Amino acid sequence: MNQCANNWKDYEVLDTGNKEKLERWNSIILRRPDPVCVWPIDQSNPDWKKADAIYHRSKSGGGHWQTVKPIKEFWTIGYKGLRFKISPTGFKHTGLFPEQAANWDFMMDNIQKNTLPEFRVLNLFAYTGGATMACAKAGATEVVHVDASKGMVQWAKENMQLSHLENHKIRFIVDDVVKFVKREQRRGRTYHAIILDPPSYGRGPKQELWKLEDQIYELLLECQKLLDKDAQFLIINCYTTGFTISALHEILKRTIQNKNGGQIECGENLLPVSHNQGVLPCGIFGRWTSD
């Protein structure tokens, strides 16, 4: 089961090709690398000449932005009443993964339909908080936002203010995810939903090493212990090259479904491409639901 984030108004993939994507972020057009786009560029599409900024990779690693036209250091885009800060970073990212809107839709729908007196959400590797804000806006009574990067947590706090969610119970925590999950077990805490968006490789605030293929099975086993008896869903995203949908399904079956029953759905995250009505693959997702 694939899912396509096709409800955006402020964001659009204009075209793809030559391992690049051309995107509109509100009124700003960015041209960025994307190794999935191995097909050639359609040279007849005039949109490619409209980029306000172009990201160039460096052979020594990293890269830089070339501004064709003056752009602001940051600006905002909206999605269903939420607002997010967008800022081109030195690592080609902008502070948001738009394909995740399909997951936000699922989370918001599930939380809004729920009749539980409380709904606690744990967002791990939470980045700038797209899922955090979606769950808070939908009515979660508490969202715990955990990321190892102090800068990303600060960015998430700005998104909270932009979305006018200051009066919602959101706990922002800078910590190593694995250590935090085990501490929550000792505290006896449980959650009705858990969201994981792990990188392929990373380090915690004290240089704790994270490598997805070596640690994802164990982490999901530990997360299973934090699921409340009335837990509704667990969602995990994966952008690791070579990590397949079938492998993710098998891991969820052995760690979450084995103890909790319920259903598993896995598939690709997709974005619609305006030119030629194509699609852009954006990693994979796995979802456990209680029903």
Side-chain angles (χ1 to χ4, degrees):
M1 180 195 120
N2 298 334
Q3 59 181 13
C4 192
N6 51 15
N7 291 318
W8 280 100
K9 293 184 173 63
D10 284 2
Y11 172 83
E12 179 183 9
V13 182
L14 299 170
D15 203 358
T16 59
N18 285 9
K19 296 187 177 181
E20 291 186 290
K21 56 188 173 187
L22 188 70
E23 306 162 290
R24 177 182 64 81
W25 299 81
N26 209 329
S27 60
I28 307 296
I29 296 177
L30 301 180
R31 183 170 175 170
R32 297 192 288 161
D34 193 318
V36 169
C37 309
V38 296
W39 43 88
I41 282 175
D42 181 353
Q43 300 291 349
S44 67
N45 183 2
D47 287 342
W48 287 102
K49 297 178 181 178
K50 297 177 182 177
D52 296 297
I54 303 168
Y55 188 86
H56 298 282
R57 283 195 185 280
S58 168
K59 292 180 181 177
S60 58
H64 71 279
W65 286 94
Q66 171 200 355
T67 52
V68 181
K69 304 168 192 172
I71 62 172
K72 296 177 181 178
E73 183 182 348
F74 65 87
W75 62 98
T76 64
I77 67 172
Y79 186 81
K80 296 187 175 181
L82 300 167
R83 288 212 77 79
F84 303 107
K85 171 187 167 184
I86 302 302
S87 181
T89 70
F91 295 96
K92 86 169 181 174
H93 294 301
T94 61
L96 199 70
F97 291 92
E99 65 272 13
Q100 290 302 320
N103 279 326
W104 304 341
D105 289 345
F106 169 85
M107 297 168 197
M108 290 190 287
D109 184 60
N110 188 292
I111 293 169
Q112 287 166 349
K113 287 180 178 177
N114 218 277
T115 57
L116 293 170
E118 285 190 302
F119 201 104
R120 298 180 298 277
V121 178
L122 176 60
N123 189 9
L124 301 172
F125 307 99
Y127 196 48
T128 60
T132 296
M133 306 313 148
C135 291
K137 186 170 183 62
T141 51
E142 180 184 16
V143 185
V144 178
H145 174 112
V146 185
D147 197 277
S149 168
K150 188 175 182 180
M152 291 301 107
V153 171
Q154 180 56 42
W155 197 326
K157 290 178 180 178
E158 293 178 55
N159 285 335
M160 175 185 69
Q161 292 167 345
L162 287 168
S163 296
H164 304 296
L165 294 168
E166 300 93 329
N167 294 328
H168 291 67
K169 189 174 182 181
I170 303 173
R171 292 172 56 211
F172 293 100
I173 296 168
V174 179
D175 202 350
D176 175 73
V177 160
V178 177
K179 290 181 178 178
F180 179 81
V181 166
K182 290 184 177 180
R183 276 201 298 274
E184 288 291 86
Q185 291 175 17
R186 293 195 291 272
R187 295 178 186 124
R189 293 266 295 167
T190 62
Y191 293 89
H192 301 96
I194 299 178
I195 303 153
L196 304 97
D197 202 354
S200 299
Y201 178 89
R203 289 192 180 274
K206 295 181 180 178
Q207 296 303 300
E208 301 93 339
L209 179 63
W210 164 266
K211 195 172 180 183
L212 184 133
E213 58 263 41
D214 292 343
Q215 293 172 270
I216 191 60
Y217 183 86
E218 186 65 32
L219 177 58
L220 281 170
L221 270 181
E222 298 302 324
C223 284
Q224 188 278 329
K225 299 171 187 175
L226 293 182
L227 287 171
D228 192 85
K229 63 179 177 61
D230 294 321
Q232 298 298 300
F233 64 84
L234 179 146
I235 294 176
I236 180 167
N237 299 291
C238 179
Y239 292 90
T240 302
T241 304
F243 202 86
T244 67
I245 292 170
S246 297
L248 189 57
H249 190 283
E250 188 67 16
I251 290 170
L252 286 169
K253 184 176 80 172
R254 289 169 179 260
T255 57
I256 309 298
Q257 190 181 43
N258 184 43
K259 295 283 182 69
N260 296 70
Q263 304 295 319
I264 297 172
E265 294 176 314
C266 295
E268 283 191 279
N269 290 312
L270 305 172
L271 281 166
V273 180
S274 297
H275 188 66
N276 290 337
Q277 297 182 316
V279 293
L280 174 62
C282 303
I284 63 176
F285 74 94
R287 189 160 66 210
W288 168 84
T289 51
S290 59
D291 50 23

